[in-house]
Amino acid sequence: DYNIIVDLGSGDGGITKLLATRVPHKRVIAIDANPAMTAYGQSVNSLSTIEYITQDMSVSWPELSDDIRRLESKVDLIFSNFCFHYFNDKSQLLSQCRQLLATGGCIHAVCILHYDLNHKLPANARKEWCLSIDQQMDVWRRALEGNGFAIDVFECKDETYPMSRQQIIAVLPVTIATLKSKFETNEQFVSETRGLEDIMFDVLCNPVADRHNPNAWTQFLANKDVNEVVIHIGCGPGNTAKLLAKELNPEHIVGIDINPNMIASAKQHNAMANTDYYIQDITHEWSQWDKSLQKLAGKVSVIYSNFTMHWVRESDTAAQNMAKLLSNDGIIVMDILYCGHIYGTAGADKRAELERQLRYPSEQRVVGQWVTAFKSAGLNRIHIKYWEPKSFLTDSAGAEEMNAVLRELIVKSFETRMMSKTLFNGKDLIECNRELWNFVISK
Ligand SMILES: C[S@@+](CC[C@H](N)C(=O)[O-])C[C@H]1O[C@@H](n2cnc3c(N)ncnc32)[C@H](O)[C@@H]1O
């Protein structure tokens, strides 16, 4: 139980309210420099125990308002989400925190580290002010230790965010704006970050390219219709086709699925002028493929596949076929859901059923097989990332798509590995972390 919690940089108060509902406390002081934010928090995210205070925390202790200074040595927890990176003087920030905290109090903060832009740049173009991840961690470590903090947990996580074209366009300038604290004046910031979009975009969104493309961002903005043909493998009932149409704006979208019922449903519910759906097993030899699909050889700019490839065992043939379809500068974006853990939790009685449905090798083998398959197919630029996006399983939704035995085993496997939380009445909704290997592949 906390007596006083400070949420430093509380923004619109959404997280503050969540914090207040989850963590027992007497008072939560939500501090933000932006009066519009505290006003919004007060009107939309108020609770009887939350007090919103407008205060720029980057000033020195004597310059802080009386309301804040009165909290000296009284705060049990300083919580901060996505705010500490705004502070230029980390040591001063932590000294303020030190002064606010009661004996035994602690800070729980999540903040952004800036991308290491230099690692892609040639030596003569490197930015002096841009630190590597290790150097940035060192700055924080020194500031923490310099202010007498003992560090319990200190980790840097590499998160993957799937983003649409529109989101990328919106987020990139914001990401550059977070660099502002590195410069003394606005003029310096403007002159030092001129043209940075290209570098930033290249580092963030084009991880497959091994050399820096100095015009990456400009080209991205200009080539609105770069994705002429998009193939969605395992398109199911075609819901994603609409998203792909909106985000990638291709001339032609082709959904393929092995299941005739899915294709029938896609044709019925998600037909669009520039969309075609085909029943096609991607592990069939190319010569047996649907003739219309064969005509797309060498013309496909994006092959996209989501939650599908874990069913595909014949990765060699599948990779050969994808390579056949791909245009010279096309890319494959796909993921592999790891389901192999489920065997460990299945009892002997369920094994046979599971074998029939999943036939899943070890994680190392399944990822390795795909890498080898793509390389043998001449696709050598392979970028792989592991991540655990949150998802929800319900007792009823999707039941028609998934066999009951498999569903039960998946849930049990999440539970035994402490990866699931059961929400709502302990029954209906299971929150779990999917274990995904993301692949981005090109020639
Ligand atoms: C990205 S938002 C995060 C908001 C909230 N914590 C959340 O997770 O939704 C960062 C917030 O930090 C605030 N902030 C930035 N610099 C600050 C400073 N020097 N003192 C207080 N708040 C600051 C901004 O006004 C903004 O509302």
Side-chain angles (χ1 to χ4, degrees):
D1 272 33
Y2 295 103
N3 195 15
I4 301 183
I5 301 177
V6 158
D7 182 1
L8 204 157
S10 51
D12 65 10
I15 304 272
T16 320
K17 191 168 177 183
L18 208 62
L19 176 76
T21 49
R22 300 221 170 155
V23 181
H25 64 279
K26 290 211 173 62
R27 294 168 69 196
V28 173
I29 319 287
I31 304 175
D32 204 286
N34 185 341
M37 287 290 177
T38 44
Y40 184 92
Q42 184 64 57
S43 67
V44 178
N45 288 310
S46 67
L47 274 182
S48 60
T49 55
I50 304 179
E51 298 154 53
Y52 286 92
I53 299 181
T54 305
Q55 173 69 61
D56 178 355
M57 292 299 289
S58 69
V59 299
S60 66
W61 181 263
E63 291 171 285
L64 291 172
S65 69
D66 290 347
D67 281 344
I68 303 288
R69 277 185 291 127
R70 263 197 291 276
L71 296 170
E72 183 168 7
S73 305
K74 294 202 177 113
V75 177
D76 305 298
L77 170 67
I78 295 177
F79 170 89
S80 183
N81 194 42
F82 281 66
C83 176
F84 275 20
H85 49 274
Y86 286 106
F87 288 78
N88 202 9
D89 189 340
K90 321 271 185 237
S91 190
Q92 171 167 294
L93 165 70
L94 291 168
S95 135
Q96 314 279 49
C97 292
R98 175 96 249 163
Q99 206 137 349
L100 287 171
L101 284 174
T103 314
C106 72
I107 302 176
H108 188 116
V110 174
C111 73
I112 294 174
L113 294 182
H114 299 292
Y115 299 99
D116 180 2
L117 304 176
N118 282 335
H119 82 268
K120 254 196 184 185
L121 292 176
N124 60 356
R126 298 213 170 118
K127 308 277 180 194
E128 209 181 287
W129 47 263
C130 177
L131 303 181
S132 71
I133 299 297
D134 284 344
Q135 286 168 328
Q136 294 179 65
M137 301 258 304
D138 268 352
V139 170
W140 278 113
R141 197 176 282 115
R142 275 199 303 272
L144 282 161
E145 287 169 355
N147 281 287
F149 284 103
I151 303 173
D152 286 340
V153 180
F154 188 65
E155 58 180 9
C156 171
K157 278 201 180 162
D158 196 4
E159 298 274 1
T160 306
Y161 298 101
M163 273 193 218
S164 69
R165 180 182 169 81
Q166 281 317 313
Q167 284 168 326
I168 292 170
I169 291 173
V171 156
L172 205 82
V174 177
T175 313
I176 290 178
T178 63
L179 295 171
K180 220 167 184 165
S181 69
K182 289 183 176 291
F183 304 97
E184 296 287 327
T185 65
N186 197 45
E187 288 71 36
Q188 270 176 348
F189 165 68
V190 172
S191 87
E192 279 291 329
T193 55
R194 193 163 291 133
L196 203 65
E197 287 93 347
D198 282 306
I199 301 170
M200 185 80 96
F201 175 75
D202 205 29
V203 170
L204 275 181
C205 303
N206 207 2
V208 175
D210 33 26
R211 246 172 292 129
H212 171 56
N213 171 3
N215 301 313
W217 177 240
T218 323
Q219 284 168 1
F220 171 76
L221 289 180
N223 293 345
K224 264 201 232 135
D225 295 322
V226 73
N227 309 295
E228 291 99 6
V229 182
V230 173
I231 286 200
H232 184 193
I233 296 178
C235 63
N239 300 336
T240 313
K242 277 204 177 126
L243 285 176
L244 291 172
K246 183 164 159 260
E247 303 299 350
L248 300 177
N249 194 22
E251 271 169 28
H252 191 188
I253 299 180
V254 176
I256 64 179
D257 204 291
I258 194 173
N259 185 337
N261 295 334
M262 291 292 173
I263 293 300
S265 164
K267 284 183 175 169
Q268 190 184 347
H269 300 293
N270 285 304
M272 288 179 288
N274 61 346
T275 307
D276 289 304
Y277 296 103
Y278 297 91
I279 303 165
Q280 178 65 58
D281 181 340
I282 58 156
T283 67
H284 280 175
E285 289 300 326
W286 179 253
S287 58
Q288 294 161 21
W289 273 48
D290 188 294
K291 292 284 170 280
S292 307
L293 291 171
Q294 284 188 16
K295 287 200 188 112
L296 296 176
K299 295 198 178 128
V300 178
S301 17
V302 178
I303 298 179
Y304 173 76
S305 177
N306 190 33
F307 285 132
T308 297
M309 292 304 185
H310 55 286
W311 303 110
V312 175
R313 284 287 80 80
E314 296 80 358
S315 40
D316 282 330
T317 331
Q320 300 283 351
N321 290 334
M322 286 194 252
K324 262 228 151 64
L325 287 164
L326 211 60
S327 69
N328 269 340
D329 52 2
I331 60 166
I332 303 172
V333 179
M334 61 171 237
D335 56 37
I336 295 175
L337 177 64
Y338 183 59
C339 318
H341 293 299
I342 300 167
Y343 285 99
T345 39
D349 54 327
K350 308 266 168 67
R351 282 278 163 84
E353 172 72 10
L354 203 55
E355 277 293 335
R356 201 175 59 73
Q357 293 210 40
L358 275 182
R359 298 183 291 143
Y360 218 86
S362 75
E363 191 162 22
Q364 232 173 9
R365 259 182 58 213
V366 79
V367 176
Q369 265 168 12
W370 278 104
V371 171
T372 315
F374 282 122
K375 286 200 167 163
S376 324
L379 301 172
N380 289 310
R381 289 160 137 200
I382 304 172
H383 183 80
I384 310 175
K385 218 162 189 182
Y386 175 76
W387 71 310
E388 294 184 358
K390 261 196 189 6
S391 62
F392 296 96
L393 279 178
T394 57
D395 279 356
S396 51
E400 64 285 352
E401 284 170 33
M402 198 192 285
N403 169 289
V405 174
L406 189 55
R407 165 179 295 275
E408 183 197 318
L409 290 172
I410 289 174
V411 171
K412 209 158 112 197
S413 147
F414 277 126
E415 279 167 359
T416 31
R417 284 174 300 127
M418 315 279 274
M419 287 181 75
S420 89
K421 263 184 276 169
T422 309
L423 308 173
F424 300 139
N425 314 329
K427 267 209 170 81
D428 302 312
L429 195 60
I430 293 134
E431 180 190 327
C432 48
N433 286 352
R434 298 279 186 185
E435 297 159 291
L436 279 185
W437 288 92
N438 273 29
F439 283 66
V440 179
I441 303 137
S442 59
K443 281 186 184 167

